[in-house]
Amino acid sequence: MKKNIYGFAIIIIFFMGTFASLATESSYIKNSYNKPQEIYSNRKASEIELINREAEKLYAAELKPIISDLAKANLGASSLEYLFQATKVLIFYNPQIKYVEDMQKILNYLDLKKIIKKPHYVELQEAYIATRQFDKASSMVEKQKLDYLQEIPKITTEVGLLDDQPTILVPENSHLIHRAFNIPKKGPYILVISNPLCGFSARAAEYISKDKRLREVFSNYSLWLSPPSGDLQLESYQNWKKSYPKLAVGLMHNTPPWPKLDTSQTPVFYFFLDGNLYQSLIGWPRDGAHIKALNGALVDIGLLKN
């Protein structure tokens, strides 16, 4: 009887140790997963480049080594999910192919462990779209037959595009045109980081469209540009163009050649003069508090007179 009790106690201790180890592992991964979100939650628009570097450094030190050898790490389901979501956070704020490649590795491992779910495929395709890997996003529908994913529209690329120049996607009916875009080296220009589904962006566009002076300025000297995201939202762009036909709209395509702009919030107005960033204005409050600041910025770059 004593032997049985002794053996039973050993089994209990073994499982307690195993559960404690799993809990510690899960807690560590969860803590590491939360850190990128904390970094970006406390950022200022003027510090976005610095914050991206801080997040990359954290990722390389704490998460990348685990992803590089998932079989050796032998993580539980909850830890794998935290790891997967960590890559999703980083892709949202700073879309980079290296993060998507790591997300793909985690998805493959989830599939191997037979704990993969539909949302994992959805989020991977969104990551492909955010990083403009349209062939891979489309392949998930056409080759893997995941018919619940997004259909990628036809994309026509203009000739002569260079890898190191900023490019945009311009919505045209049911397809997109991929073309070059440069902020003018001479004179004033306004770049508005926006989103057709953002209520604050729509309020700003509504106010500007109804003001004769502002409408003229923005129709001639601005582009309303959506940052990379996991949804191409073609229908919403079509609706935007109907509502605000004078406000040119597009989607960022390749982000590295662009100036270091904060694309994690909308709208953000960037005012350029002779190709150089002069100042910025973040948001569009309901109370119209930014109207004076907007007019002031336009006066400063020579688009309005006092």
Side-chain angles (χ1 to χ4, degrees), residues 2 18 24 47 64 72-73 90 95 97 113 120 122 126 158 190-191 205 219 242 260 269 280-281 295:
K2 287 183 179 179
T18 302
T24 302
E47 300 174 345
K64 179 65 176 179
K72 182 180 178 181
L90 288 159
I97 290 175
K113 301 269 281 188
H120 294 126
V122 171
E126 289 175 348
E158 294 187 345
I190 314 151
L191 194 60
S219 68
K242 290 177 184 176
K260 299 303 180 182
F269 296 80
S280 61
L281 181 65
N295 281 274

Side-chain angles (χ1 to χ4, degrees), residues 117-243:
K117 299 176 182 177
K118 279 187 178 181
H120 294 126
Y121 288 113
V122 171
E123 289 168 355
L124 177 63
Q125 193 203 34
E126 289 175 348
Y128 281 141
I129 293 171
T131 50
R132 303 323 194 203
Q133 299 183 80
F134 294 122
D135 288 344
K136 290 185 178 181
S138 184
S139 176
M140 293 183 73
V141 179
E142 296 169 2
K143 293 182 180 179
Q144 294 180 250
K145 306 300 182 184
L146 303 175
D147 56 5
Y148 52 86
L149 298 180
Q150 296 179 57
E151 289 283 351
I152 306 302
K154 179 183 177 182
I155 300 172
T156 304
T157 300
E158 294 187 345
V159 297
L161 298 187
L162 304 175
D163 291 338
D164 60 350
Q165 71 179 139
T167 61
I168 61 175
L169 297 167
V170 180
E172 287 290 344
N173 299 319
S174 60
H175 71 284
L176 295 164
I177 300 175
H178 182 202
R179 62 174 51 140
F181 172 78
N182 289 293
I183 294 167
K185 295 295 183 184
K186 294 289 184 181
Y189 199 77
I190 314 151
L191 194 60
V192 187
I193 304 300
S194 62
N195 188 304
L197 297 179
C198 168
F200 298 102
S201 297
R203 264 200 303 276
E206 187 76 20
Y207 180 85
I208 289 165
S209 296
K210 289 180 178 179
D211 184 293
K212 183 179 179 181
R213 290 198 313 161
L214 293 178
R215 182 174 67 247
E216 183 176 350
V217 165
F218 275 82
S219 68
N220 292 317
Y221 297 96
S222 80
L223 175 65
W224 294 64
L225 193 64
S226 292
S229 73
D231 189 346
L232 291 172
Q233 307 169 3
L234 267 187
E235 185 178 350
S236 62
Y237 286 102
Q238 292 164 0
N239 293 336
W240 176 281
K241 291 172 76 172
K242 290 177 184 176
S243 299

Side-chain angles (χ1 to χ4, degrees), residues 40 48 52 56 87-100 126-133 227-230 252-256 261 263-264:
Y40 283 106
I48 189 63
N52 281 341
E56 286 187 47
T87 60
K88 180 182 174 181
V89 169
L90 288 159
I91 293 164
F92 175 81
Y93 287 106
N94 185 20
Q96 290 195 50
I97 290 175
K98 64 181 181 181
Y99 295 143
V100 184
E126 289 175 348
Y128 281 141
I129 293 171
T131 50
R132 303 323 194 203
Q133 299 183 80
S229 73
M252 272 187 176
H253 184 269
N254 56 340
T255 54
L261 307 175
T263 60
S264 63

Side-chain angles (χ1 to χ4, degrees), residues 49-69:
E49 189 174 358
L50 177 65
I51 290 163
N52 281 341
R53 286 201 300 269
E54 184 182 349
E56 286 187 47
K57 185 177 178 181
L58 167 74
Y59 189 77
E62 298 193 18
L63 297 174
K64 179 65 176 179
I66 301 171
I67 296 171
S68 296
D69 198 346

Side-chain angles (χ1 to χ4, degrees), residues 22 25 66 69-77 79-80 109 113:
L22 289 172
E25 164 211 289
I66 301 171
D69 198 346
L70 289 168
K72 182 180 178 181
N74 194 28
L75 302 178
S79 293
L80 286 167
Y109 194 70
K113 301 269 281 188

